[in-house]
Amino acid sequence: MPLEFRCEDVGAVCGEAIKADTPEELVAKIAEHAEHEHGVPELSQTLVDYAKTVVRET
Ligand SMILES: [Zn+2]
């Protein structure tokens, strides 16, 4: 069940598409990307919950 998260789906001007096999892995990758590319040091629970609502199964 590959999952995909796109930054643009949460309003970010970013073409990044992050893929993972599990929600936990996906959140970890989103957090890493957010820190390095968007200067967000830590994802809040609100952001994590919101991100999960826009995740697609591919
Ligand atoms: Zn991004």
Side-chain angles (χ1 to χ4, degrees):
M1 183 175 78
L3 303 171
E4 183 178 298
F5 169 85
R6 291 174 181 270
C7 271
E8 60 186 14
D9 288 342
V10 293
V13 182
C14 174
E16 184 82 359
I18 298 165
K19 296 174 183 175
D21 292 324
T22 67
E24 293 76 18
E25 188 184 348
L26 191 68
V27 168
K29 286 185 174 181
I30 293 170
E32 191 178 311
H33 170 78
E35 180 178 356
H36 290 134
E37 301 297 327
H38 300 289
V40 179
E42 192 175 341
L43 293 185
S44 67
Q45 189 60 48
T46 303
L47 269 173
V48 170
D49 289 343
Y50 183 49
K52 283 178 178 173
T53 67
V54 298
V55 167
R56 311 159 188 216
E57 288 180 29
T58 58

CSV table of all heavy atoms in Angstrom, one decimal:
chain,number,residue,atom,x,y,z
A,1,MET,N,0.8,-1.2,0.0
A,1,MET,CA,0.0,0.0,0.0
A,1,MET,C,0.9,1.2,0.0
A,1,MET,O,1.0,1.9,1.0
A,1,MET,CB,-0.9,0.0,1.2
A,1,MET,CG,-1.9,1.1,1.3
A,1,MET,SD,-3.0,1.0,2.7
A,1,MET,CE,-2.0,1.5,4.1
A,2,PRO,N,1.5,1.6,-1.1
A,2,PRO,CA,2.3,2.7,-1.2
A,2,PRO,C,1.5,4.0,-0.9
A,2,PRO,O,0.4,4.2,-1.5
A,2,PRO,CB,2.9,2.7,-2.6
A,2,PRO,CG,2.6,1.4,-3.1
A,2,PRO,CD,1.4,0.9,-2.4
A,3,LEU,N,2.1,4.9,-0.1
A,3,LEU,CA,1.4,6.1,0.3
A,3,LEU,C,2.2,7.3,-0.4
A,3,LEU,O,3.4,7.2,-0.5
A,3,LEU,CB,1.4,6.3,1.8
A,3,LEU,CG,0.7,5.2,2.5
A,3,LEU,CD1,0.9,5.4,4.0
A,3,LEU,CD2,-0.8,5.2,2.2
A,4,GLU,N,1.5,8.3,-0.7
A,4,GLU,CA,2.2,9.5,-1.3
A,4,GLU,C,1.6,10.8,-0.7
A,4,GLU,O,0.4,10.9,-0.5
A,4,GLU,CB,1.9,9.5,-2.8
A,4,GLU,CG,2.7,10.6,-3.5
A,4,GLU,CD,2.5,10.6,-5.0
A,4,GLU,OE1,2.9,9.6,-5.6
A,4,GLU,OE2,1.9,11.6,-5.5
A,5,PHE,N,2.5,11.7,-0.3
A,5,PHE,CA,2.2,13.0,0.2
A,5,PHE,C,2.8,14.0,-0.7
A,5,PHE,O,4.0,13.9,-1.0
A,5,PHE,CB,2.7,13.1,1.6
A,5,PHE,CG,2.6,14.5,2.2
A,5,PHE,CD1,1.5,15.0,2.8
A,5,PHE,CD2,3.7,15.4,2.1
A,5,PHE,CE1,1.4,16.3,3.2
A,5,PHE,CE2,3.6,16.7,2.6
A,5,PHE,CZ,2.5,17.1,3.1
A,6,ARG,N,2.0,15.0,-1.1
A,6,ARG,CA,2.5,16.1,-1.9
A,6,ARG,C,2.4,17.4,-1.1
A,6,ARG,O,1.4,17.7,-0.6
A,6,ARG,CB,1.7,16.2,-3.2
A,6,ARG,CG,1.9,15.1,-4.1
A,6,ARG,CD,1.0,15.2,-5.3
A,6,ARG,NE,1.2,14.1,-6.2
A,6,ARG,CZ,2.1,14.1,-7.3
A,6,ARG,NH1,2.8,15.2,-7.5
A,6,ARG,NH2,2.2,13.1,-8.0
A,7,CYS,N,3.6,18.1,-1.0
A,7,CYS,CA,3.6,19.3,-0.3
A,7,CYS,C,2.6,20.3,-0.8
A,7,CYS,O,2.0,21.0,0.0
A,7,CYS,CB,5.0,20.0,-0.4
A,7,CYS,SG,6.2,19.5,0.8
A,8,GLU,N,2.3,20.3,-2.1
A,8,GLU,CA,1.4,21.3,-2.7
A,8,GLU,C,0.0,21.1,-2.1
A,8,GLU,O,-0.8,22.0,-2.1
A,8,GLU,CB,1.4,21.2,-4.2
A,8,GLU,CG,1.0,19.9,-4.7
A,8,GLU,CD,1.2,19.8,-6.3
A,8,GLU,OE1,1.9,20.7,-6.8
A,8,GLU,OE2,0.7,18.9,-6.9
A,9,ASP,N,-0.3,19.8,-1.7
A,9,ASP,CA,-1.7,19.6,-1.2
A,9,ASP,C,-1.9,20.3,0.2
A,9,ASP,O,-3.1,20.4,0.6
A,9,ASP,CB,-1.9,18.1,-1.0
A,9,ASP,CG,-2.0,17.4,-2.3
A,9,ASP,OD1,-2.3,18.0,-3.3
A,9,ASP,OD2,-1.8,16.1,-2.4
A,10,VAL,N,-0.9,20.7,0.8
A,10,VAL,CA,-1.1,21.4,2.1
A,10,VAL,C,-0.7,22.9,1.9
A,10,VAL,O,-0.5,23.6,2.8
A,10,VAL,CB,-0.2,20.8,3.3
A,10,VAL,CG1,-0.8,19.5,3.6
A,10,VAL,CG2,1.2,20.8,2.9
A,11,GLY,N,-0.7,23.3,0.6
A,11,GLY,CA,-0.5,24.7,0.3
A,11,GLY,C,0.9,25.2,0.2
A,11,GLY,O,1.1,26.4,0.0
A,12,ALA,N,1.9,24.3,0.3
A,12,ALA,CA,3.3,24.7,0.2
A,12,ALA,C,3.6,24.8,-1.3
A,12,ALA,O,3.2,24.1,-2.2
A,12,ALA,CB,4.2,23.6,0.8
A,13,VAL,N,4.4,25.8,-1.6
A,13,VAL,CA,4.9,26.0,-3.0
A,13,VAL,C,6.1,25.1,-3.1
A,13,VAL,O,7.3,25.5,-2.9
A,13,VAL,CB,5.3,27.5,-3.3
A,13,VAL,CG1,5.7,27.6,-4.7
A,13,VAL,CG2,4.1,28.4,-3.0
A,14,CYS,N,5.9,23.9,-3.4
A,14,CYS,CA,6.9,22.9,-3.4
A,14,CYS,C,6.5,21.7,-4.3
A,14,CYS,O,5.3,21.3,-4.2
A,14,CYS,CB,7.2,22.4,-2.0
A,14,CYS,SG,8.3,21.1,-1.8
A,15,GLY,N,7.3,21.2,-5.1
A,15,GLY,CA,6.9,20.1,-6.0
A,15,GLY,C,7.2,18.7,-5.5
A,15,GLY,O,7.1,17.8,-6.2
A,16,GLU,N,7.6,18.7,-4.2
A,16,GLU,CA,8.0,17.4,-3.6
A,16,GLU,C,6.9,16.4,-3.5
A,16,GLU,O,5.8,16.8,-3.0
A,16,GLU,CB,8.7,17.7,-2.3
A,16,GLU,CG,9.3,16.4,-1.6
A,16,GLU,CD,10.7,16.1,-2.2
A,16,GLU,OE1,11.1,16.8,-3.1
A,16,GLU,OE2,11.2,15.1,-1.7
A,17,ALA,N,7.1,15.2,-3.9
A,17,ALA,CA,6.2,14.1,-3.6
A,17,ALA,C,6.9,13.1,-2.8
A,17,ALA,O,7.9,12.6,-3.2
A,17,ALA,CB,5.7,13.5,-4.9
A,18,ILE,N,6.4,12.8,-1.6
A,18,ILE,CA,7.1,11.9,-0.7
A,18,ILE,C,6.3,10.6,-0.6
A,18,ILE,O,5.1,10.6,-0.5
A,18,ILE,CB,7.2,12.6,0.7
A,18,ILE,CG1,8.0,13.8,0.7
A,18,ILE,CG2,7.8,11.6,1.7
A,18,ILE,CD1,7.8,14.7,1.9
A,19,LYS,N,7.1,9.5,-0.8
A,19,LYS,CA,6.4,8.2,-0.8
A,19,LYS,C,6.9,7.3,0.2
A,19,LYS,O,8.1,7.3,0.6
A,19,LYS,CB,6.6,7.6,-2.2
A,19,LYS,CG,5.9,8.4,-3.3
A,19,LYS,CD,6.2,7.8,-4.7
A,19,LYS,CE,5.6,8.7,-5.8
A,19,LYS,NZ,6.0,8.2,-7.1
A,20,ALA,N,6.1,6.4,0.8
A,20,ALA,CA,6.5,5.5,1.8
A,20,ALA,C,5.5,4.3,1.8
A,20,ALA,O,4.4,4.5,1.2
A,20,ALA,CB,6.6,6.1,3.1
A,21,ASP,N,5.8,3.3,2.4
A,21,ASP,CA,5.0,2.1,2.5
A,21,ASP,C,4.1,2.1,3.7
A,21,ASP,O,3.0,1.4,3.7
A,21,ASP,CB,5.8,0.8,2.5
A,21,ASP,CG,6.5,0.6,1.2
A,21,ASP,OD1,5.9,0.9,0.1
A,21,ASP,OD2,7.6,0.1,1.2
A,22,THR,N,4.4,2.8,4.8
A,22,THR,CA,3.6,2.9,6.0
A,22,THR,C,3.4,4.3,6.4
A,22,THR,O,4.3,5.2,6.1
A,22,THR,CB,4.3,2.1,7.1
A,22,THR,OG1,5.5,2.8,7.5
A,22,THR,CG2,4.7,0.7,6.7
A,23,PRO,N,2.3,4.6,7.1
A,23,PRO,CA,2.1,6.0,7.6
A,23,PRO,C,3.2,6.5,8.5
A,23,PRO,O,3.6,7.6,8.4
A,23,PRO,CB,0.8,5.8,8.4
A,23,PRO,CG,0.1,4.6,7.8
A,23,PRO,CD,1.2,3.7,7.4
A,24,GLU,N,3.8,5.6,9.3
A,24,GLU,CA,4.8,6.0,10.2
A,24,GLU,C,6.1,6.4,9.5
A,24,GLU,O,6.7,7.4,9.8
A,24,GLU,CB,5.2,4.8,11.2
A,24,GLU,CG,4.2,4.5,12.2
A,24,GLU,CD,3.0,3.6,11.6
A,24,GLU,OE1,3.2,3.1,10.5
A,24,GLU,OE2,2.0,3.6,12.2
A,25,GLU,N,6.4,5.7,8.4
A,25,GLU,CA,7.5,6.0,7.6
A,25,GLU,C,7.3,7.3,6.8
A,25,GLU,O,8.2,8.1,6.7
A,25,GLU,CB,7.8,4.8,6.6
A,25,GLU,CG,9.1,5.0,5.8
A,25,GLU,CD,9.2,3.9,4.8
A,25,GLU,OE1,8.5,2.9,4.8
A,25,GLU,OE2,10.1,4.0,3.9
A,26,LEU,N,6.1,7.4,6.4
A,26,LEU,CA,5.7,8.6,5.6
A,26,LEU,C,5.9,9.9,6.5
A,26,LEU,O,6.5,10.9,6.1
A,26,LEU,CB,4.3,8.5,5.1
A,26,LEU,CG,3.9,9.6,4.0
A,26,LEU,CD1,4.7,9.4,2.8
A,26,LEU,CD2,2.4,9.5,3.7
A,27,VAL,N,5.3,9.8,7.7
A,27,VAL,CA,5.4,11.0,8.6
A,27,VAL,C,6.9,11.3,8.9
A,27,VAL,O,7.2,12.5,8.9
A,27,VAL,CB,4.6,10.7,9.9
A,27,VAL,CG1,4.9,11.7,11.0
A,27,VAL,CG2,3.1,10.7,9.6
A,28,ALA,N,7.7,10.3,9.1
A,28,ALA,CA,9.1,10.5,9.4
A,28,ALA,C,9.8,11.2,8.2
A,28,ALA,O,10.6,12.1,8.4
A,28,ALA,CB,9.8,9.2,9.7
A,29,LYS,N,9.4,10.8,7.0
A,29,LYS,CA,10.0,11.4,5.8
A,29,LYS,C,9.5,12.8,5.6
A,29,LYS,O,10.2,13.7,5.2
A,29,LYS,CB,9.7,10.6,4.5
A,29,LYS,CG,10.5,9.3,4.5
A,29,LYS,CD,10.2,8.6,3.2
A,29,LYS,CE,11.1,7.4,3.0
A,29,LYS,NZ,10.8,6.7,1.7
A,30,ILE,N,8.2,13.1,5.9
A,30,ILE,CA,7.7,14.4,5.8
A,30,ILE,C,8.4,15.3,6.8
A,30,ILE,O,8.7,16.5,6.4
A,30,ILE,CB,6.1,14.4,6.1
A,30,ILE,CG1,5.4,13.7,5.0
A,30,ILE,CG2,5.6,15.9,6.2
A,30,ILE,CD1,3.9,13.4,5.3
A,31,ALA,N,8.6,14.8,8.0
A,31,ALA,CA,9.2,15.6,9.0
A,31,ALA,C,10.6,16.0,8.6
A,31,ALA,O,11.1,17.2,8.7
A,31,ALA,CB,9.3,14.9,10.3
A,32,GLU,N,11.3,15.1,8.0
A,32,GLU,CA,12.7,15.3,7.5
A,32,GLU,C,12.7,16.3,6.4
A,32,GLU,O,13.5,17.3,6.4
A,32,GLU,CB,13.3,14.0,7.1
A,32,GLU,CG,14.8,14.1,6.8
A,32,GLU,CD,15.4,12.8,6.4
A,32,GLU,OE1,15.1,11.8,7.1
A,32,GLU,OE2,16.1,12.7,5.4
A,33,HIS,N,11.8,16.2,5.5
A,33,HIS,CA,11.7,17.1,4.4
A,33,HIS,C,11.3,18.5,4.8
A,33,HIS,O,11.9,19.5,4.4
A,33,HIS,CB,10.6,16.6,3.4
A,33,HIS,CG,10.3,17.6,2.3
A,33,HIS,ND1,11.1,17.8,1.2
A,33,HIS,CD2,9.2,18.4,2.2
A,33,HIS,CE1,10.6,18.7,0.4
A,33,HIS,NE2,9.4,19.1,1.0
A,34,ALA,N,10.4,18.6,5.7
A,34,ALA,CA,9.9,19.9,6.2
A,34,ALA,C,11.0,20.6,6.9
A,34,ALA,O,11.2,21.8,6.8
A,34,ALA,CB,8.7,19.7,7.2
A,35,GLU,N,11.9,19.9,7.6
A,35,GLU,CA,13.0,20.5,8.3
A,35,GLU,C,14.0,21.0,7.4
A,35,GLU,O,14.5,22.1,7.5
A,35,GLU,CB,13.6,19.5,9.3
A,35,GLU,CG,14.8,20.1,10.1
A,35,GLU,CD,15.4,19.1,11.1
A,35,GLU,OE1,14.9,18.0,11.2
A,35,GLU,OE2,16.4,19.5,11.7
A,36,HIS,N,14.4,20.2,6.4
A,36,HIS,CA,15.5,20.6,5.5
A,36,HIS,C,15.0,21.6,4.4
A,36,HIS,O,15.8,22.4,4.0
A,36,HIS,CB,16.0,19.3,4.8
A,36,HIS,CG,16.8,18.5,5.8
A,36,HIS,ND1,16.7,17.1,5.8
A,36,HIS,CD2,17.7,18.8,6.7
A,36,HIS,CE1,17.5,16.6,6.8
A,36,HIS,NE2,18.1,17.6,7.3
A,37,GLU,N,13.8,21.4,3.9
A,37,GLU,CA,13.4,22.3,2.8
A,37,GLU,C,12.5,23.4,3.2
A,37,GLU,O,12.5,24.4,2.5
A,37,GLU,CB,12.6,21.4,1.8
A,37,GLU,CG,13.4,20.2,1.2
A,37,GLU,CD,14.6,20.7,0.4
A,37,GLU,OE1,14.5,21.8,-0.2
A,37,GLU,OE2,15.6,20.0,0.4
A,38,HIS,N,11.9,23.3,4.3
A,38,HIS,CA,10.9,24.4,4.7
A,38,HIS,C,11.3,25.0,6.1
A,38,HIS,O,10.6,25.9,6.5
A,38,HIS,CB,9.5,23.8,4.8
A,38,HIS,CG,9.0,23.3,3.5
A,38,HIS,ND1,8.8,24.1,2.4
A,38,HIS,CD2,8.8,22.0,3.1
A,38,HIS,CE1,8.4,23.3,1.4
A,38,HIS,NE2,8.4,22.0,1.8
A,39,GLY,N,12.4,24.6,6.7
A,39,GLY,CA,12.8,25.2,7.9
A,39,GLY,C,11.9,25.0,9.1
A,39,GLY,O,11.8,25.8,10.0
A,40,VAL,N,11.1,23.9,9.0
A,40,VAL,CA,10.2,23.6,10.1
A,40,VAL,C,11.0,22.5,11.0
A,40,VAL,O,11.1,21.4,10.6
A,40,VAL,CB,8.9,23.0,9.6
A,40,VAL,CG1,8.0,22.6,10.8
A,40,VAL,CG2,8.2,23.9,8.7
A,41,PRO,N,11.4,22.9,12.2
A,41,PRO,CA,12.2,22.0,13.0
A,41,PRO,C,11.5,20.8,13.5
A,41,PRO,O,12.0,19.8,13.7
A,41,PRO,CB,12.7,22.9,14.2
A,41,PRO,CG,11.6,24.0,14.2
A,41,PRO,CD,11.2,24.2,12.8
A,42,GLU,N,10.2,21.0,13.8
A,42,GLU,CA,9.4,19.8,14.3
A,42,GLU,C,8.0,20.0,13.9
A,42,GLU,O,7.4,21.0,14.0
A,42,GLU,CB,9.5,19.9,15.9
A,42,GLU,CG,9.0,18.6,16.5
A,42,GLU,CD,9.3,18.6,18.0
A,42,GLU,OE1,10.1,19.4,18.5
A,42,GLU,OE2,8.6,17.8,18.7
A,43,LEU,N,7.4,18.9,13.4
A,43,LEU,CA,6.0,18.9,13.0
A,43,LEU,C,5.1,18.8,14.3
A,43,LEU,O,5.3,17.9,15.1
A,43,LEU,CB,5.7,17.7,12.1
A,43,LEU,CG,6.3,17.7,10.7
A,43,LEU,CD1,5.8,16.5,9.9
A,43,LEU,CD2,6.1,19.0,10.0
A,44,SER,N,4.1,19.7,14.4
A,44,SER,CA,3.2,19.6,15.5
A,44,SER,C,2.2,18.5,15.2
A,44,SER,O,2.1,18.0,14.0
A,44,SER,CB,2.4,20.9,15.6
A,44,SER,OG,1.6,21.1,14.5
A,45,GLN,N,1.5,18.0,16.2
A,45,GLN,CA,0.5,16.9,16.0
A,45,GLN,C,-0.6,17.4,15.0
A,45,GLN,O,-1.0,16.6,14.2
A,45,GLN,CB,-0.1,16.6,17.4
A,45,GLN,CG,-1.0,15.3,17.3
A,45,GLN,CD,-0.2,14.1,16.8
A,45,GLN,OE1,0.9,13.8,17.3
A,45,GLN,NE2,-0.7,13.4,15.8
A,46,THR,N,-0.9,18.7,15.1
A,46,THR,CA,-1.9,19.2,14.2
A,46,THR,C,-1.5,19.1,12.8
A,46,THR,O,-2.2,18.7,11.9
A,46,THR,CB,-2.1,20.7,14.5
A,46,THR,OG1,-2.5,20.8,15.9
A,46,THR,CG2,-3.2,21.3,13.6
A,47,LEU,N,-0.2,19.4,12.5
A,47,LEU,CA,0.3,19.3,11.1
A,47,LEU,C,0.4,17.8,10.7
A,47,LEU,O,0.0,17.5,9.6
A,47,LEU,CB,1.7,19.9,11.1
A,47,LEU,CG,1.8,21.4,10.7
A,47,LEU,CD1,3.3,21.8,10.9
A,47,LEU,CD2,1.4,21.6,9.3
A,48,VAL,N,0.8,16.9,11.6
A,48,VAL,CA,0.8,15.5,11.3
A,48,VAL,C,-0.6,15.0,10.9
A,48,VAL,O,-0.8,14.3,9.9
A,48,VAL,CB,1.4,14.7,12.4
A,48,VAL,CG1,1.2,13.2,12.2
A,48,VAL,CG2,2.9,15.0,12.6
A,49,ASP,N,-1.6,15.4,11.7
A,49,ASP,CA,-2.9,15.0,11.5
A,49,ASP,C,-3.4,15.5,10.1
A,49,ASP,O,-4.1,14.8,9.4
A,49,ASP,CB,-3.9,15.4,12.6
A,49,ASP,CG,-3.6,14.7,13.9
A,49,ASP,OD1,-3.0,13.6,13.8
A,49,ASP,OD2,-4.1,15.1,15.0
A,50,TYR,N,-3.1,16.8,9.9
A,50,TYR,CA,-3.5,17.4,8.6
A,50,TYR,C,-2.9,16.7,7.4
A,50,TYR,O,-3.5,16.4,6.4
A,50,TYR,CB,-3.2,18.9,8.6
A,50,TYR,CG,-3.7,19.6,7.4
A,50,TYR,CD1,-5.0,19.4,7.0
A,50,TYR,CD2,-2.9,20.4,6.7
A,50,TYR,CE1,-5.5,20.1,5.8
A,50,TYR,CE2,-3.3,21.1,5.6
A,50,TYR,CZ,-4.6,20.9,5.1
A,50,TYR,OH,-5.0,21.6,4.0
A,51,ALA,N,-1.6,16.4,7.6
A,51,ALA,CA,-0.9,15.8,6.5
A,51,ALA,C,-1.5,14.4,6.1
A,51,ALA,O,-1.6,14.1,5.0
A,51,ALA,CB,0.6,15.6,6.9
A,52,LYS,N,-1.9,13.7,7.2
A,52,LYS,CA,-2.5,12.4,7.0
A,52,LYS,C,-3.8,12.5,6.2
A,52,LYS,O,-4.2,11.5,5.5
A,52,LYS,CB,-2.7,11.7,8.3
A,52,LYS,CG,-1.5,11.1,8.9
A,52,LYS,CD,-1.8,10.5,10.3
A,52,LYS,CE,-0.5,9.9,10.9
A,52,LYS,NZ,-0.7,9.4,12.3
A,53,THR,N,-4.5,13.6,6.3
A,53,THR,CA,-5.8,13.7,5.6
A,53,THR,C,-5.6,13.9,4.1
A,53,THR,O,-6.5,13.7,3.3
A,53,THR,CB,-6.6,14.9,6.1
A,53,THR,OG1,-6.0,16.1,5.8
A,53,THR,CG2,-6.8,14.8,7.6
A,54,VAL,N,-4.4,14.3,3.7
A,54,VAL,CA,-4.2,14.5,2.2
A,54,VAL,C,-3.3,13.5,1.6
A,54,VAL,O,-2.9,13.5,0.4
A,54,VAL,CB,-3.6,15.9,2.0
A,54,VAL,CG1,-4.5,17.0,2.5
A,54,VAL,CG2,-2.2,16.1,2.6
A,55,VAL,N,-2.9,12.5,2.4
A,55,VAL,CA,-2.1,11.4,1.9
A,55,VAL,C,-2.9,10.5,0.9
A,55,VAL,O,-4.1,10.2,1.1
A,55,VAL,CB,-1.6,10.5,3.0
A,55,VAL,CG1,-1.0,9.2,2.5
A,55,VAL,CG2,-0.6,11.2,3.8
A,56,ARG,N,-2.3,10.2,-0.2
A,56,ARG,CA,-3.0,9.3,-1.2
A,56,ARG,C,-2.4,7.9,-1.2
A,56,ARG,O,-1.3,7.7,-0.9
A,56,ARG,CB,-2.8,9.9,-2.6
A,56,ARG,CG,-3.0,11.3,-2.7
A,56,ARG,CD,-2.3,11.9,-3.9
A,56,ARG,NE,-2.4,13.3,-4.0
A,56,ARG,CZ,-2.5,14.0,-5.1
A,56,ARG,NH1,-2.4,13.5,-6.3
A,56,ARG,NH2,-2.6,15.4,-5.0
A,57,GLU,N,-3.3,7.0,-1.5
A,57,GLU,CA,-2.8,5.6,-1.7
A,57,GLU,C,-2.6,5.5,-3.2
A,57,GLU,O,-3.5,5.7,-3.9
A,57,GLU,CB,-3.8,4.6,-1.1
A,57,GLU,CG,-3.8,4.5,0.4
A,57,GLU,CD,-4.8,3.5,0.9
A,57,GLU,OE1,-5.0,2.5,0.2
A,57,GLU,OE2,-5.3,3.7,2.0
A,58,THR,N,-1.4,5.0,-3.5
A,58,THR,CA,-1.1,4.9,-5.0
A,58,THR,C,-1.0,3.5,-5.4
A,58,THR,O,-1.0,2.6,-4.6
A,58,THR,CB,0.2,5.6,-5.3
A,58,THR,OG1,1.3,5.0,-4.5
A,58,THR,CG2,0.2,7.1,-5.0
B,1,ZN,ZN,8.1,20.5,0.4
